[in-house]
């Protein structure tokens, strides 16, 4: 069997450790979010709404780097559960405003310790490493 091209070796791929780390961290959210009936994507939607209270679907998509096709069913589900309201803008019906309800805002109390729990599981990184990684990852996300 021939030796693979160097560029095709798994050990030479930046994408693999990013993918594996993302999976590892996402798996750590499951035990915290499952009892609340939340997925990670729903959780990050709430993070934006807890901060801003209302936002358009487009703004939410830009903030979370998600498209409307991903957000629309998720937001419909959250609306059915009474966590958010969705309202078409009167001046432009193509735009939908998402507002957090009292029930959605109350969920914040149950989620407030999740970031510390997840952060505590990343003991391999000191505070400076975590800041550096955050900065580098956002550098990769820029268009």
């Amino acid at each position: 069997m021939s030796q693979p091209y160097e560029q095709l070796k798994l050990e030479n791929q930046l994408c693999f450790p990013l993918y594996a780390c993302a999976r590892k961290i996402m798996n750590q959210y499951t035990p915290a979010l499952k009892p609340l009936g939340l997925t990670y994507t729903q959780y990050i939607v709430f993070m934006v709404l807890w901060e801003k209270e209302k936002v358009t679907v487009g703004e939410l998509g830009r903030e979370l780097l998600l498209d409307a096709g991903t957000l629309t069913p998720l937001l419909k589900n959250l609306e059915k559960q009474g966590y958010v309201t969705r309202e078409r803008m009167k001046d432009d019906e193509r735009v939908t405003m998402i507002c957090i309800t009292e029930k959605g805002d109350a969920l914040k109390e149950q989620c407030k310790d999740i970031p510390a729990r997840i952060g505590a599981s990343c003991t391999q990184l000191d505070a400076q490493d975590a800041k550096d990684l955050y900065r580098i990852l956002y550098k990769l996300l820029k268009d």
Side-chain angles (χ1 to χ4, degrees), residues 17-88:
L18 287 170
Y19 162 77
C21 283
R23 282 190 48 235
K24 181 179 180 179
I25 291 171
M26 292 303 103
N27 287 339
Q28 291 174 12
Y29 277 94
T30 301
L33 296 174
K34 191 172 186 175
L36 302 173
L38 295 178
T39 65
Y40 179 76
T41 308
Q42 290 170 327
Y43 173 67
I44 61 175
V45 164
F46 277 115
M47 292 179 97
V48 172
L49 290 171
W50 291 327
E51 183 179 342
K52 298 186 178 188
E53 295 183 7
K54 64 181 181 178
V55 66
T56 67
V57 173
E59 292 167 334
L60 189 60
R62 284 187 294 281
E63 185 96 15
L64 298 176
L65 306 174
L66 296 171
D67 61 44
T70 300
L71 285 171
T72 299
L74 181 149
L75 293 167
K76 283 181 180 181
N77 188 320
L78 292 178
E79 183 178 43
K80 276 187 208 170
Q81 295 178 57
Y83 290 125
V84 302
T85 59
R86 296 179 314 129
E87 184 179 326
R88 296 262 179 210

Side-chain angles (χ1 to χ4, degrees), residues 127-142:
Q128 188 59 53
D129 285 342
K131 285 180 183 179
D132 290 345
L133 180 58
Y134 182 89
R135 180 186 54 76
I136 291 166
L137 291 173
Y138 269 94
K139 194 182 239 186
L140 286 174
L141 290 172
K142 286 187 179 175

Side-chain angles (χ1 to χ4, degrees), residues 89-134:
M89 300 297 289
K90 291 181 183 6
D91 58 333
D92 186 349
E93 291 200 5
R94 297 170 298 170
V95 178
T96 302
M97 183 66 69
I98 307 301
C99 300
I100 194 161
T101 63
E102 284 185 35
K103 181 179 178 183
D105 194 53
L107 197 57
K108 178 172 35 179
E109 184 64 27
Q110 296 174 12
C111 293
K112 69 179 179 2
D113 297 326
I114 292 173
R117 285 173 54 189
I118 302 305
S121 69
C122 297
T123 57
Q124 308 89 325
L125 299 178
D126 63 26
Q128 188 59 53
D129 285 342
K131 285 180 183 179
D132 290 345
L133 180 58
Y134 182 89

